[in-house]
């Protein structure tokens, strides 16, 4: 089995050392590089070809948000997990909209961080339904009418069934829960999610959830 290639990005050398220590000994994960600033990330990605980047969101030079947006705009971009000290932070929300696969708190237990890396590498975003809803609630407020109109215009490309699944994703439901609610198989739910992602030009279901919320279809 091929090891998951992981790149660590954090401006604090003690945090990087701690992450390296806790993750480096995990089975099936290989730390292929470290960066102290977002400006170093693209060159390191080109050189080390990581599967996952564990990215600090707040750095004094080029921050993790900018680095995430740059990486996710590239073909064959690695998956990105944002490191943060906040449960619901505007920068975290922007990183998720840009295509980050989720986030972990810096005080998360080591085993959970390792699990997050493995899940993201397997294509499973790292956000519980409760955290997704909290982040979306945090985003509510100014310019809601403009966001709603734009989101509904984007979702108009979906057919009725894809739209139903997208709304269910926006409510934080897992595939099995969506399947039970909409009377379809889990495989069919996955197929609808994949088609919705392709039509909407999105990277993961977290972005679908945020779009459905912006469209005010999940309330």
């Amino acid at each position: 089995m091929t090891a998951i290639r992981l790149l660590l990005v954090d401006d604090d050398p003690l945090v990087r050392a701690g992450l390296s220590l806790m993750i480096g000994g995990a089975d099936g994960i290989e730390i292929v590089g470290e960066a102290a600033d977002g400006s170093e990330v693209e060159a390191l990605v080109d050189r080390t070809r990581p599967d996952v980047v564990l990215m600090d969101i707040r750095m004094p030079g080029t921050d993790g948000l900018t680095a995430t947006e740059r990486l996710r705009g590239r073909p064959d971009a690695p998956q990105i997990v944002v490191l943060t000290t906040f449960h619901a932070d505007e920068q975290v929300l922007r990183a998720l909209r840009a295509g980050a696969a989720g986030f972990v708190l810096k005080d998360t237990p080591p085993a959970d961080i390792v699990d997050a890396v493995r899940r993201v590498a397997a294509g499973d975003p790292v956000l519980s339904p409760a955290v997704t809803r909290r982040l979306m609630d945090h985003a509510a407020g100014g310019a809601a009418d403009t966001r709603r109109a734009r989101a509904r215009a984007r979702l108009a490309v979906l057919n009725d069934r894809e739209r139903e699944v997208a709304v269910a994703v926006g409510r934080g439901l897992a595939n099995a829960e969506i399947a039970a609610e909409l009377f379809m198989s889990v495989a069919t739910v996955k197929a609808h999610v994949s088609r919705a992602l392709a039509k909407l030009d999105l990277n993961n279901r977290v972005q679908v959830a945020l779009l459905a919320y912006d469209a005010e279809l999940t309330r």
Side-chain angles (χ1 to χ4, degrees):
M1 183 176 177
T2 304
I4 299 166
R5 298 173 63 81
L6 177 67
L7 176 64
L8 303 177
V9 184
D10 197 294
D11 64 302
D12 189 334
L14 291 179
V15 172
R16 292 200 309 276
L19 290 170
S20 182
L21 183 64
M22 74 172 68
I23 299 174
D27 291 338
I29 299 177
E30 177 188 1
I31 297 175
V32 296
E34 297 181 14
D37 187 80
S39 62
E40 305 170 17
V41 172
E42 288 190 273
L44 264 176
V45 166
D46 288 337
R47 189 160 67 247
T48 63
R49 299 294 178 185
D51 301 302
V52 179
V53 178
L54 199 54
M55 179 91 73
D56 185 16
I57 197 73
R58 300 188 179 202
M59 292 178 283
T62 301
D63 63 27
L65 172 62
T66 301
T68 295
E69 290 172 337
R70 289 174 180 172
L71 279 183
R72 292 307 301 176
R74 295 161 47 126
D76 301 321
Q79 297 293 337
I80 299 171
V81 179
V82 171
L83 274 172
T84 181
T85 55
F86 296 91
H87 282 278
D89 177 80
E90 185 62 30
Q91 285 189 307
V92 174
L93 188 71
R94 287 177 61 193
L96 295 174
R97 291 188 189 280
F103 74 89
V104 294
L105 300 177
K106 287 192 174 182
D107 60 358
T108 298
D112 291 343
I113 294 180
V114 169
D115 180 62
V117 170
R118 288 176 174 150
R119 286 173 55 194
V120 165
D124 183 15
V126 183
L127 278 180
S128 70
V131 171
T132 302
R133 284 191 290 271
R134 183 171 177 179
L135 276 168
M136 291 188 294
D137 288 342
H138 181 72
D145 289 343
T146 300
R147 280 204 313 272
R148 180 176 62 246
R150 289 176 178 172
R152 290 187 176 184
R154 289 191 68 186
L155 288 169
V157 302
L158 304 182
N159 64 36
D160 290 344
R161 212 53 167 158
E162 290 162 353
R163 183 185 174 92
E164 287 179 325
V165 170
V167 171
V169 169
R171 289 167 48 213
L173 300 184
N175 287 339
E177 294 171 318
I178 297 172
E181 183 171 293
L182 298 181
F183 304 102
M184 61 179 70
S185 69
V186 172
T188 301
V189 172
K190 290 180 178 178
H192 283 314
V193 171
S194 295
R195 284 196 291 271
L197 288 171
K199 287 184 177 181
L200 296 168
D201 193 25
L202 298 176
N203 300 120
N204 57 50
R205 64 192 292 138
V206 175
Q207 291 176 308
V208 174
L210 292 171
L211 189 62
Y213 186 87
D214 284 347
E216 296 186 3
L217 299 176
T218 61
R219 301 177 183 178

